[in-house]
């Protein structure tokens, strides 16, 4: 099983560590475990609201596409480790991935 560690910019939200399977999507994994990450476009790589930072384990995810990179450029505070959670599919069974979730109060989005 892969391990996904969610940490948060919002200091009021404690870190959460989850087991995940090969092929799991970080955005859906978060949603299924009551971790709020906006996803206004319905997880089809058509917005930047599910922007996260992959602090560890980038090699266990697909390479970033040009389309994803274009949307990351529109996100708040993009960094070299920025990804869209909807595009982060776990590709290694023994992956250890650390995801820093930006403060969702700063992002215009719906509650899911």
């Amino acid at each position: 099983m892969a391990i996904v560690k969610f940490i948060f910019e919002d200091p009021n939200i404690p870190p959460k560590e989850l087991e995940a399977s090969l092929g799991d999507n970080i955005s859906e994994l978060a949603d299924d475990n009551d971790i709020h990450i906006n996803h206004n476009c319905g997880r089809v790589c058509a917005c930047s609201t599910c922007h996260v930072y992959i602090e560890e384990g980038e090699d266990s995810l697909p390479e970033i596409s040009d389309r994803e990179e274009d949307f990351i450029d529109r996100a708040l505070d993009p960094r070299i480790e920025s990804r869209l959670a909807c595009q982060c599919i776990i590709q290694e069974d023994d992956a250890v991935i650390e995801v820093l979730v930006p403060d969702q109060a700063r992002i215009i989005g719906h509650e899911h």
Side-chain angles (χ1 to χ4, degrees):
M1 300 284 325
I3 300 294
V4 180
K5 302 172 187 176
F6 289 91
I7 55 176
F8 303 87
E9 282 185 351
D10 182 339
N12 298 313
I13 304 174
K16 194 167 195 178
E17 187 171 300
L18 304 172
E19 288 186 346
S21 299
L22 190 66
D24 281 353
N25 174 300
I26 298 291
S27 177
E28 291 172 354
L29 183 66
D31 231 14
D32 291 346
N33 289 279
D34 299 319
I35 297 170
H36 178 70
I37 299 175
N38 286 312
H39 52 89
N40 290 354
C41 72
R43 300 185 179 111
V44 296
C45 195
C47 72
S48 63
T49 58
C50 70
H51 171 243
V52 295
Y53 304 109
I54 304 300
E55 301 286 305
E56 180 183 333
E58 174 74 27
D59 293 343
S60 300
L61 303 172
E63 203 170 302
I64 192 168
S65 69
D66 290 340
R67 180 178 173 88
E68 181 181 359
E69 210 163 347
D70 288 345
F71 283 106
I72 287 170
D73 287 342
R74 302 173 195 178
L76 291 174
D77 195 21
R79 304 178 198 157
I80 195 78
E81 60 273 6
S82 291
R83 292 295 303 263
L84 299 181
C86 70
Q87 299 302 296
C88 293
I89 314 261
I90 298 170
Q91 295 187 313
E92 294 180 15
D93 221 8
D94 59 349
V96 176
I97 301 167
E98 186 173 283
V99 180
L100 173 60
V101 179
D103 185 353
Q104 296 297 287
R106 296 179 27 207
I107 300 167
I108 298 171
H110 333 302
E111 287 295 319
H112 297 283

